[in-house]
Amino acid sequence: IGTAAINDGKIEQLRLTYGSNILKVKGTGVESLAVYTVDGRRVAAANGDEVHLNAMGAGLYLVKVKANGITTTQRIEIVK
């Protein structure tokens, strides 16, 4: 289980939580999220605030979150 916070000064703070192969974004106005490998391949996406990570292996990923019309990106590490 891991958490990371996003607060880039443009949107309200968002919190990423990971557990049981689900990545959730907690915060207001979350519209969508997508997960990318570090080489730019999209490996998961969802409209809403959670995405399943069952098919993803351990490693570094980028999470792109759209909330209140603004997009921000956070790096995460998945450990299995």
Side-chain angles (χ1 to χ4, degrees), residues 3-5 12 16-17 25 27 30 33 38 46-47 50-51 53 58 60 67 69 72 74-75 77-79:
T3 62
E12 181 180 327
L16 301 176
T17 60
V25 180
V30 176
L33 69 143
V38 292
N47 289 323
E50 72 178 42
V51 67
L53 305 176
L60 293 175
T72 189
Q74 175 72 39
R75 185 180 63 131
E77 180 176 7
I78 295 178
V79 180

Side-chain angles (χ1 to χ4, degrees), residues 5-38:
I6 301 172
N7 186 350
D8 64 4
K10 298 176 187 168
I11 59 176
E12 181 180 327
Q13 183 169 338
L14 301 173
R15 184 164 302 280
L16 301 176
T17 60
Y18 167 72
S20 301
N21 285 321
I22 296 175
L23 178 69
K24 286 186 140 190
V25 180
K26 296 181 180 180
T28 58
V30 176
E31 300 165 30
S32 64
L33 69 143
V35 181
Y36 297 86
T37 61
V38 292

